[in-house]
């Protein structure tokens, strides 16, 4: 049940989150220019209903269709949702956000099935004709289904849900929603609730009243802030106490609520604090008739206040303060009386729950004592780019304190039997457990910038005998091989700067095409790069992506090569922006030296920024010497 809700929430989130900017734009236009806004302007306010009725549903439907059926699925989704919008009367009907969440994926599925049926049966010379007419004809049919069935049905569902919420609001029972919201956040179920229910109902209420309390329920940063403040003041664990102030900044101003989840997991009973804090805040908002005019995303105090009506900003601040104070007062005695687990253990628990939220249920294994760990293996699908970069960066980070550690990389299906700790991305955790049943798993999102890598560093540098470090350092100096860099691996022709943003798969194909043009790979390697990205993201963190082929595509590699594509405005890799896309094809370990150099450069913020923005190819080549 929980896994089903988590997958559902993740699917909804993937449709909504890429378009949050459009929601914010709609919210700002509403807040600024409507009759009761900051600077009323009837002409500019007239933009708002067009965005709500047409733009937002079309963006969501396009994104949902593209998720399922690629670019053709996106176009199908946009066509299909227009049927829903027309079916409920356009401006006179309810906003079709929920309809878009249904029609987009459905339309993408329809065209995906058609394309699969036509695979290998397309008459030569008729490809473009069939591709265009199939989208047109099937799009028309799905739009008609949306007009007569899906649109009216979703309108009824939304009306029922809205009526139910209105009953709860009138009965003053809406604060009880916090009992479900706060645990859901820690269990990564919040997206199913927030994007599946709160946002559509909030938009319907805001359309009529100009604001909605639904936007305030999950995004309030106060409950989490109270917990973090309590840890900053009363935690007995020095590591936890010293980490809390930084977490406060990230949570309160950055809006990344996920940062406080490990602090809840350390002492699960602490969950009472944000629950009661949010109940008090929602009660206050209910009695003062507060609401936001649009979604607050991310849930930072800046976004929260920017979506508040001008006249209610003091009340909104007071509501956040109430949640913070109540949460702090309840959490403080619990934290003072409880030893709890360490922050590192809690982060491991959070990683496991995050993997579970993606449908992956893997036991990370018992945490190993630092002095018993001799080998750490970073593993990715092919063992070529992502894991190599991650291993290099972590090796450089830990070698001063733990020169006795061996840190290597490999493919996830070939983790050696003497591996003590395996570092893998969440979607590869199942394969890693089968490959290395003896190892502790550290489950991450990306290889360069992940909280669980910080936890691993703390784990490896705690309570290690200095004599062992010294002896191991001498041994490592004698045994560490020297990896040379082949100057022909990266050439001037393999560097492209100042490129305009594109879809991530287009960027990956462009990198593969350049590898092919320079003679590094055969054409079939390009498809393998796309397939690799569909399995697990090649985004590394810090604005860097390293797409490469799957393990079985090594047969398509003619010689080792690396190309660099620079996108100053960034390419969207599932919500992360990559300004640098390094396409890699490797034979053996020939490319590792250059990867080590890339790792060295990106650890220097100034050089990394220079690499992301300079248009001078000679300057880039000089950096890699």
């Amino acid at each position: 049940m929980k896994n089903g809700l988590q997958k559902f929430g993740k699917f909804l989130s993937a449709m909504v989150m890429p378009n949050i900017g459009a929601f914010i734009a709609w919210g700002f236009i509403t807040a600024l220019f409507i009759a009761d806004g900051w600077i009323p302007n009837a002409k500019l306010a007239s933009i708002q209903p067009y965005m709500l009725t047409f733009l937002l549903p079309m963006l969501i439907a396009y994104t949902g269709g593209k998720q399922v059926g690629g670019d053709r699925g996106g176009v199908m989704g946009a066509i299909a949702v227009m049927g829903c919008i027309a079916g409920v009367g356009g401006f006179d009907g309810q906003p079709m956000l929920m309809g878009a969440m249904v029609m987009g994926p459905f339309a993408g599925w329809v065209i995906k099935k058609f394309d699969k049926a036509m695979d290998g049966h397309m008459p030569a010379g008729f490809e473009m004709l069939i591709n265009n007419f199939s989208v047109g004809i099937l799009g028309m049919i799905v739009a008609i289904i949306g007009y007569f069935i899906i649109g009216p049905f979703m309108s009824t569902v939304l009306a029922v849900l809205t009526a139910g919420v209105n009953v709860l609001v009138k009965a003053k029972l809406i604060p009880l929603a916090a009992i479900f919201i706060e645990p859901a956040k820690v269990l990564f179920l919040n997206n199913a609730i927030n994007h599946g229910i709160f946002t559509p109902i909030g938009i319907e209420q805001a359309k009529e009243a100009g604001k909605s309390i639904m936007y305030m329920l999950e995004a309030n940063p106060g409950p989490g802030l109270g917990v973090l403040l309590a840890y900053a003041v009363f935690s007995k664990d020095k590591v936890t106490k010293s980490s809390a102030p930084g977490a406060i900044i990230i949570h309160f101003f950055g809006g990344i609520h996920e940062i406080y989840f490990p602090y809840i997991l350390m002492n699960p009973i602490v969950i009472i604090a944000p629950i009661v804090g949010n109940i008090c805040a929602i009660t206050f908002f209910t009695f003062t008739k507060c609401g936001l005019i649009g979604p607050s995303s991310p849930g930072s105090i800046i976004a929260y206040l920017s979506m508040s009506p001008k006249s209610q900003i003091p009340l909104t601040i007071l509501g956040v303060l109430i949640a913070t104070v109540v949460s702090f007062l309840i959490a403080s005695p619990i934290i003072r009386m409880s030893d709890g687990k360490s922050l590192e253990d809690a982060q491991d628990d959070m990683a496991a729950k995050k993997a579970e939220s993606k449908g992956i249920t893997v036991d990370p294994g018992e945490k190993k004592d630092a002095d018993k760990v001799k080998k750490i293996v970073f593993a990715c699908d092919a063992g070529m780019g992502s894991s190599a970069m991650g291993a290099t960066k972590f090796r450089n980070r830990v070698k001063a304190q733990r020169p006795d550690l061996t840190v290597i990389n490999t493919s996830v299906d070939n983790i050696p039997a003497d591996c003590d700790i395996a570092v893998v991305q969440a979607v590869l955790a199942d394969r890693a457990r089968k490959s290395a049943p003896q190892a502790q798993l550290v489950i991450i999102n990306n290889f360069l910038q992940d909280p669980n890598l910080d936890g691993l560093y703390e784990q490896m540098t705690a309570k290690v005998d200095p004599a062992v470090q010294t002896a191991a350092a001498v041994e490592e100096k004698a045994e560490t091989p020297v990896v040379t860099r082949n100057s022909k691996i990266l050439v001037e022709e393999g560097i492209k700067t100042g490129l305009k943003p594109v879809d991530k798969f287009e960027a990956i194909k462009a990198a593969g095409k350049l590898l092919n043009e320079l003679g590094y790979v055969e054409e079939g390697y390009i498809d393998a790069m796309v397939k690799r990205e569909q399995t697990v993201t090649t985004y590394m963190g810090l604005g860097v992506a390293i797409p490469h082929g799957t393990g079985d595509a090594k047969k398509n590699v003619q010689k080792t090569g690396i190309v660099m594509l620079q996108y100053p405005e960034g390419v969207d890799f599932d919500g992360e922006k990559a300004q640098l896309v390094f396409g890699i094809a490797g034979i053996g370990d020939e490319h590792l030296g250059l990867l080590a150099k890339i790792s060295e450069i990106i650890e220097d913020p100034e050089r990394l920024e220079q690499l992301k923005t300079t248009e001078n190819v000679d300057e880039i080549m000089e950096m890699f010497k």
Side-chain angles (χ1 to χ4, degrees), residues 56-254:
L56 297 181
M58 286 183 69
L59 285 173
I60 290 174
Y62 178 86
T63 305
K66 188 173 182 178
Q67 276 182 254
V68 177
D71 290 336
R72 284 159 58 74
V75 175
M76 282 279 292
I79 296 170
V81 80
M82 291 303 293
C84 290
I85 295 169
V88 298
F91 287 119
D92 297 326
Q94 293 171 320
M96 274 292 100
L97 297 180
M98 293 182 72
M101 293 178 188
V102 173
M103 291 306 288
F106 173 63
W109 176 81
V110 168
I111 199 66
K112 183 179 180 181
K113 288 295 182 182
F114 174 83
D115 289 343
K116 185 175 181 181
M118 291 298 296
D119 189 25
H121 302 289
M122 193 87 71
F126 287 85
E127 293 88 353
M128 183 175 292
L129 181 68
I130 293 174
N131 284 337
N132 289 335
F133 271 79
S134 60
V135 169
I137 294 170
L138 292 175
M140 175 190 68
I141 293 171
V142 177
I144 293 171
I145 293 173
Y147 184 95
F148 286 109
I149 301 175
I150 305 299
F153 175 75
M154 297 310 298
S155 182
T156 302
V157 170
L158 184 56
V160 171
L161 289 174
T162 303
V165 169
N166 289 335
V167 169
L168 292 177
V169 171
K170 289 179 181 178
K172 311 299 183 186
L173 294 176
I174 199 71
L176 296 181
I179 296 173
F180 304 99
I181 292 170
E182 295 303 324
K185 290 169 79 169
V186 178
L187 295 173
F188 297 94
L189 292 168
N190 53 314
N191 285 329
I193 298 170
N194 199 23
H195 296 311
I197 299 174
F198 290 168
T199 296
I201 294 176
I203 284 182
E204 178 64 20
Q205 290 182 338
K207 181 183 177 183
E208 296 181 3
K211 61 186 177 181
S212 173
I213 194 174
M214 303 305 292
Y215 295 134
M216 308 184 87
L217 305 186
E218 189 270 339
N220 188 343
L225 176 62
V227 170
L228 292 173
L229 286 171
Y231 271 105
V233 177
F234 296 112
S235 178
K236 297 176 183 178
D237 180 68
K238 290 183 179 180
V239 173
T240 303
K241 188 170 185 174
S242 63
S243 68
I248 287 171
I249 295 172
I250 294 170
H251 167 75
F252 193 61
F253 295 104

Side-chain angles (χ1 to χ4, degrees), residues 358 380 386 425 427-428 444-447 504 508 532-540 544-548 573-574 576:
K358 298 180 180 181
C380 64
S386 307
Q425 290 165 294
V427 296
L428 298 177
I444 61 173
N445 287 323
N446 65 70
F447 283 103
K504 72 170 181 177
I508 291 168
R532 170 70 171 81
E533 186 66 30
Q534 291 170 337
T535 303
V536 58
T537 182
T538 54
Y539 180 77
M540 299 290 298
V544 177
I546 304 186
H548 53 275
F573 273 73
D574 303 323
E576 302 285 357

Side-chain angles (χ1 to χ4, degrees), residues 297-312:
S297 183
S300 74
I301 188 62
I302 299 169
Y304 207 66
L305 293 180
S306 70
M307 290 294 111
S308 177
K310 177 173 61 174
S311 60
Q312 291 188 340

Side-chain angles (χ1 to χ4, degrees), residues 276-300:
V276 177
N278 207 6
I279 285 176
C280 293
I282 296 171
T283 301
F284 173 77
F285 290 142
T286 300
F287 279 101
T288 55
K289 300 188 184 319
C290 281
L292 302 184
I293 48 82
S296 171
S297 183
S300 74

